Amino acid sequence: MDSFSGGDLASASSGRDEEAVRIEDLHKSFGELEVLKGVNLTARKGDVVAIIGGSGSGKSTMLRCINFLETPTSGRIYVGGEHIAMREDGTPANRRQLERIRTRLGMVFQSFNLWTHRTLLENVIEVPVHVLKQSRAEAIEKAQSLLKRVGLGDKADVYPAYLSGGQQQRAAIARALAVDPDVMLFDEPTSALDPELVGEVLTVIRDLAAEGRTMLLVTHEMKFAREVADHVVYLYQGRIEEQGAPDQVFDAPKSERLQQFLMSIN
Amino acid sequence: MSDLLNMLGLAQSAELLSLSPPGWGGNLLRGLLNSLQIAFGAFGMGLVIGLFGAYGKLYGGPILRDLLAVYTTVIRAVPELVLILILYYLGSDLINKVSEAMGYGRVEISGVVAGIWVLGVVQGAYSIEVLRGAIQAVPPGQIEAARAFGMPPFMLMRRVTIPAMMSFATPGLANLWLIATKDTALLAIVGFSELTLETRQAAASTRAYFTFFLAAGALYLIVTLFSQVIFGRIERWARRGQPSLRGGTR
Ligand SMILES: Nc1ncnc2c1ncn2[C@@H]1O[C@H](COP(=O)(O)OP(=O)(O)O)[C@@H](O)[C@H]1O
Ligand SMILES: [Mg+2]
C-alpha cells in the first residue's frame, strides 16, 4: 500500500527528514464519480512538490483534501505528523484541531479569493489578528514588510478590485505568508492570469522555494515545475501515475500517459 | 411671521398644529415617536430573524428548512392587516394564558412591545429572503479562503460573510425599513396610538382633516427622506472596494 509513497525520493534532499504532509490511501468521490482512487504522497520539510496532470485528473481535489476544503471519502491526512481526526463519512471529527492545522497551511487559490471589502493590508492582517490573536501593531508591521516583499509596498491601502490579477495573486501570497505557514498549498496560482502577468507571480514563488519553504504546487507551468520542484507527481484519473525527480519525470518519463501528456503540453 | 401666515390663511392651521395644547402638534409628534420606535424595533427584530432564518434556510437540516419555508410563505401570502390582527390577538391571548396559568392574572401588554412583535414577525419573513439572496451572492471563494485559513464558523460569518453581503443586502433592507415605518400605520386598527391614529383623533376632534392628514403625510415624507440619506451612506460604505459602475475614482 505504501508503494506509491514519495518518501524514497523526497528523502534525497538530505537533512529534511521531518515530514510536513502525508497523504495515505486517499479516496474521494463526488456522488458516483470517483475522483481520487487511492493516493499516497509524502512531502518532507523544505520539499517543493509539483503536482501535474491533465484537467480533471484530481489535482485540485487532492490539494483541497489536505485542508479538508473537500472531505475525503476515505484515507488519512497527516500534517506535521499529526493525523487529522476524521469521522466514518470523511467529515472532520474535531473542528478545533482542523482549524488549528488549517492555520499552519497557507493556501493560494487559482482565483486569488481576496476579501474584496478589505484593503490589501486588511486582507493580510485578517488571519493573524483575528484567528491567531496576534497584536494588531505587530501584524501590521509584518504585513507591510510582506507586501513590500511581493512588490506591493505602495498598495497597502488599495482594495483588491483596483489591482491587476498578478497584483492580487501576489497579495494573496502575502496573505498566506502572514500566518508563517509550515506548508504552502498552491492551486494553479497562475492559471487565471494574463500571460504577461504570470512571470511576476512565478518570481515570488521561486523566491519562496529558494528560501526553503515547504510547498505543494499544482501547476501547468512545466518549465517552472522543473526549475523549482524537488519532486514531481503526475496524476492521471485520480491515481499517481508516475513521480520522481524533475529530470527523471520530464526527461525520461516511463509511463506512456505521462509521455503523451508532456507532448500535448509542448 | 404671523402676518405672512394670516395672509395665506394658514394661521388657523398653525394654531391647530402648535406643539402645546390646545394645538395637537405634540400628539402628532408623540405618535411619530411611537411609530419610529416600533418601526425600529420591528426592523431590528426582523434582521435577527432574517439572519438566523437565512442561515437556517441555506445550511439547516430538512425539518428546519421546511419550517422556515412555511413561515416565509404564509407571512408573505397573507395581507398584512390580517396578519396584524391575528398576531396581535394571538400574542396577547398566549401571554395572558401563560400568565394566568402561572397565577398572575391578566397582564396589560405594552403597545410598543406588541407593535414590535407583530411587525417584527412580518419583517422577519421578508428579511430572511433579502439576506438569503445576499449571502448567496457572496463569492464562494471568499468564504472558502476564510475556511482554509482556519477561521471558525461564527467569526467567518461576522468577519467575511456579513460584510461581503452588505452591499447586496442594503437596497432590500432599505426598502424593508421604509415599509416598516409605514406599516406602523396599520397598528391603528388594534388601537395603538401611533402617528396615524393620533392624526385621526386630532382630525376628528377639530374637523380639520386636511390640515392634520397633510401634516402626517409630511412627517412620513421627512422620515423617508432622512432614511434615504442614512441608507445611502450605509450603501456607500458597504460598497467600499467595489469600483463604481460609472467608473472613475476610488
Ligand atoms: N464539487 C464537485 N462536485 C462534483 N464534481 C466535482 C467537484 N469538484 C470537482 N469535481 C470533479 O472532479 C474531477 C476532478 O476535479 P479537479 O480535482 O478539480 O481536477 P483538476 O484540478 O485536476 O483539473 C473533475 O471531473 C471534476 O468535474
Ligand atoms: Mg484544478
Side-chain angles (χ1 to χ4, degrees):
Chain A
M1 193 190 71
D2 266 329
S3 57
F4 281 121
S5 158
D8 50 335
L9 295 142
S11 62
S13 33
S14 58
R16 307 158 148 184
D17 286 344
E18 242 180 294
E19 100 184 16
V21 174
R22 179 148 49 101
I23 300 171
E24 276 182 12
D25 196 27
L26 175 63
H27 290 254
K28 172 65 182 177
S29 303
F30 291 107
E32 295 284 281
L33 180 69
E34 193 176 20
V35 173
L36 295 176
K37 302 166 183 162
V39 173
N40 292 280
L41 182 70
T42 304
R44 285 167 202 286
K45 281 206 174 137
D47 275 355
V48 176
V49 178
I51 298 147
I52 61 172
S55 161
S57 56
K59 307 182 295 296
S60 299
T61 306
M62 186 187 103
L63 205 65
R64 293 160 56 82
C65 278
I66 295 174
N67 58 8
F68 278 64
L69 285 183
E70 302 290 357
T71 52
T73 306
S74 70
R76 284 165 302 282
I77 308 285
Y78 299 82
V79 173
E82 184 178 352
H83 176 236
I84 301 182
M86 191 174 118
R87 291 208 193 89
E88 279 289 304
D89 62 355
T91 54
N94 181 342
R95 188 170 62 77
R96 278 170 197 283
Q97 183 209 24
L98 177 61
E99 282 164 5
R100 175 168 49 76
I101 287 176
R102 277 173 169 171
T103 63
R104 313 306 314 134
L105 302 168
M107 191 161 205
V108 176
F109 300 85
Q110 183 172 347
S111 48
F112 332 134
N113 295 351
L114 291 170
W115 296 302
T116 50
H117 54 283
R118 301 197 190 285
T119 63
L120 293 198
L121 186 78
E122 288 168 343
N123 265 279
V124 178
I125 65 170
E126 180 68 19
V127 179
V129 171
H130 293 276
V131 181
L132 300 176
K133 314 288 182 203
Q134 294 172 4
S135 97
R136 196 179 174 83
E138 248 170 72
I140 288 177
E141 198 173 317
K142 178 154 186 216
Q144 275 161 342
S145 82
L146 283 173
L147 285 172
K148 209 168 287 164
R149 171 165 180 193
V150 298
L152 294 169
D154 56 338
K155 303 281 190 213
D157 297 323
V158 179
Y159 286 99
Y162 295 92
L163 298 172
S164 74
Q167 290 170 319
Q168 289 190 50
Q169 193 60 297
R170 283 185 279 141
I173 293 173
R175 173 176 69 175
L177 284 170
V179 301
D180 203 9
D182 294 334
V183 181
M184 297 192 76
L185 308 173
F186 290 87
D187 189 2
E188 299 197 32
T190 58
S191 294
L193 299 178
D194 293 336
E196 77 268 21
L197 302 177
V198 169
E200 62 190 59
V201 172
L202 293 186
T203 304
V204 171
I205 300 175
R206 185 181 293 118
D207 190 37
L208 294 173
E211 74 174 22
R213 289 262 169 202
T214 312
M215 311 201 286
L216 270 65
L217 170 70
V218 175
T219 186
H220 281 302
E221 303 282 338
M222 295 305 149
K223 257 178 63 190
F224 184 70
R226 175 198 286 259
E227 177 193 339
V228 300
D230 304 301
H231 190 70
V232 179
V233 172
Y234 171 62
L235 220 54
Y236 178 80
Q237 291 187 356
R239 287 197 179 86
I240 294 183
E241 170 88 4
E242 187 165 341
Q243 60 178 321
D247 293 348
Q248 180 198 323
V249 168
F250 289 116
D251 296 334
K254 291 191 217 76
S255 140
E256 219 165 282
R257 286 169 186 143
L258 175 55
Q259 289 166 13
Q260 276 168 8
F261 173 71
L262 292 173
M263 296 243 277
S264 70
I265 281 241
N266 293 325
Chain B
M1 182 74 181
S2 60
D3 286 347
L4 185 70
L5 290 175
N6 257 330
M7 210 168 63
L8 294 169
L10 290 175
Q12 207 194 355
S13 299
E15 215 164 276
L16 284 171
L17 289 171
S18 117
L19 290 181
S20 49
W24 292 79
N27 292 32
L28 257 57
L29 284 187
R30 257 193 306 283
L32 176 66
L33 210 66
N34 276 334
S35 289
L36 287 178
Q37 235 174 39
I38 292 178
F40 204 76
F43 181 69
M45 179 173 155
L47 277 184
V48 173
I49 295 177
L51 198 60
F52 283 99
Y55 268 91
K57 268 199 166 183
L58 289 172
Y59 305 108
I63 296 173
L64 180 62
R65 283 209 304 265
D66 284 350
L67 285 176
L68 288 166
V70 169
Y71 168 57
T72 51
T73 308
V74 168
I75 296 285
R76 294 190 301 166
V78 178
E80 262 151 70
L81 201 56
V82 179
L83 277 176
I84 285 169
L85 289 169
I86 295 176
L87 288 170
Y88 183 79
Y89 292 115
L90 188 79
S92 45
D93 227 44
L94 275 179
I95 289 180
N96 274 315
K97 284 238 171 71
V98 169
S99 133
E100 265 164 23
M102 298 198 316
Y104 288 113
R106 295 192 72 81
V107 286
E108 198 58 46
I109 299 163
S110 130
V112 173
V113 173
I116 289 175
W117 142 256
V118 170
L119 289 188
V121 170
V122 177
Q123 286 264 317
Y126 291 90
S127 277
I128 286 179
E129 293 308 309
V130 169
L131 295 179
R132 185 178 60 88
I135 291 172
Q136 280 180 308
V138 175
Q142 293 193 30
I143 292 168
E144 198 158 74
R147 284 209 291 142
F149 282 106
M151 217 182 254
F154 189 72
M155 186 190 290
L156 197 156
M157 167 168 142
R158 193 168 53 82
R159 298 290 309 169
V160 179
T161 313
I162 291 179
M165 77 164 181
M166 278 297 279
S167 64
F168 305 109
T170 24
L173 293 181
N175 267 339
L176 279 185
W177 161 252
L178 291 180
I179 290 171
T181 61
K182 278 178 272 288
D183 273 5
T184 54
L186 298 175
L187 293 172
I189 199 173
V190 289
F192 181 66
S193 63
E194 44 61 62
L195 178 55
T196 299
L197 188 68
E198 291 286 354
T199 308
R200 234 170 50 193
Q201 282 170 350
S205 318
T206 59
R207 310 251 148 225
Y209 290 98
F210 189 68
T211 304
F212 282 111
F213 279 104
L214 210 60
L219 287 177
Y220 282 120
L221 183 64
I222 289 170
V223 168
T224 300
L225 293 176
F226 189 68
S227 305
Q228 277 175 353
V229 173
I230 302 279
F231 271 99
R233 288 217 177 146
I234 294 176
E235 194 173 341
R236 223 172 312 135
W237 169 79
R239 290 186 58 83
R240 72 198 182 284
Q242 299 178 24
S244 130
L245 289 177
R246 267 183 271 147
T249 57
R250 59 166 102 101

